[in-house]
Amino acid sequence: MTYTEHQHIKEWLAQHEHEILSTEYSKTLESFLDSLPWDPSRVQWDDIPHISIQVPEVPGDDFLRECRNTPMGVHEFTMIMYNGSESAILCRSEEALMDIDLLYFRAPGPRYFCGVDKIDGKITLHAQDFGEYDISGLTFRIEE
């Protein structure tokens, strides 16, 4: 079963504007991430300029404002990737960030997402504008 087939994801998708993206998009983000330095199971943040943001129990405007002040946060859309061999979810960034705990529920370990622009139906992935989700919160790559 792929992550997008889990019941809680299906229910979320039914209530939110979204697209299911082909694995081509997941592979693009995965390839970019693979070009970065890694610890055994995650990007090695010590070598990448970043900011960490806690996900509050009930995310609100302050949380969204913090996220919007990152390179990923300036994009109207976000691609939620589970791994490089599965389809990803394209959704509005605000909705993705507000429900990030739910979207990555049952997806163990660090998970990655990135900013996307969609103009006239054309999707442009911005892999360099990425973030990491794990149980301790969000980490975003930032500009130096």
Side-chain angles (χ1 to χ4, degrees), residues 8 10 13 16 23 30-31 37 40-41 61 65 77-79 98 102 109 114 116 118 121 123 129 133-134 138 140:
H8 69 284
K10 286 181 176 181
L13 294 173
H16 295 86
T23 57
E30 183 179 63
S31 292
S41 65
D61 290 340
R65 193 174 306 103
F77 295 95
T78 295
M79 181 182 79
M98 293 294 280
L102 176 73
C114 70
V116 174
K118 186 176 175 186
I123 295 170
D129 297 340
Y133 169 87
D134 75 4
L138 302 177
F140 292 94

Side-chain angles (χ1 to χ4, degrees), residues 45 50-57 59-73 97 100-101 113 130-142:
W45 287 107
H50 66 280
I51 184 171
S52 296
I53 300 173
Q54 293 296 316
V55 179
E57 193 170 312
D61 290 340
D62 291 340
F63 169 70
L64 284 176
R65 193 174 306 103
E66 282 185 271
C67 294
R68 283 190 197 114
N69 287 327
T70 69
M72 194 245 71
L97 292 166
I100 198 84
D101 282 334
F113 54 95
F130 74 95
E132 176 189 271
Y133 169 87
D134 75 4
I135 197 70
S136 65
L138 302 177
T139 305
F140 292 94
R141 186 201 65 79
I142 59 171

Side-chain angles (χ1 to χ4, degrees), residues 2-3 21-34 38 79-89 104 107-108 110-113 125:
T2 65
Y3 286 104
L21 298 179
S22 72
T23 57
E24 168 191 338
Y25 292 96
S26 297
K27 288 177 185 174
T28 298
L29 178 55
E30 183 179 63
S31 292
F32 173 79
L33 294 170
D34 284 346
W38 276 75
M79 181 182 79
I80 299 292
M81 180 184 78
Y82 294 97
N83 62 55
S85 61
E86 288 188 24
S87 300
I89 300 170
Y104 283 124
R111 295 295 168 171
Y112 296 91
F113 54 95
L125 199 70

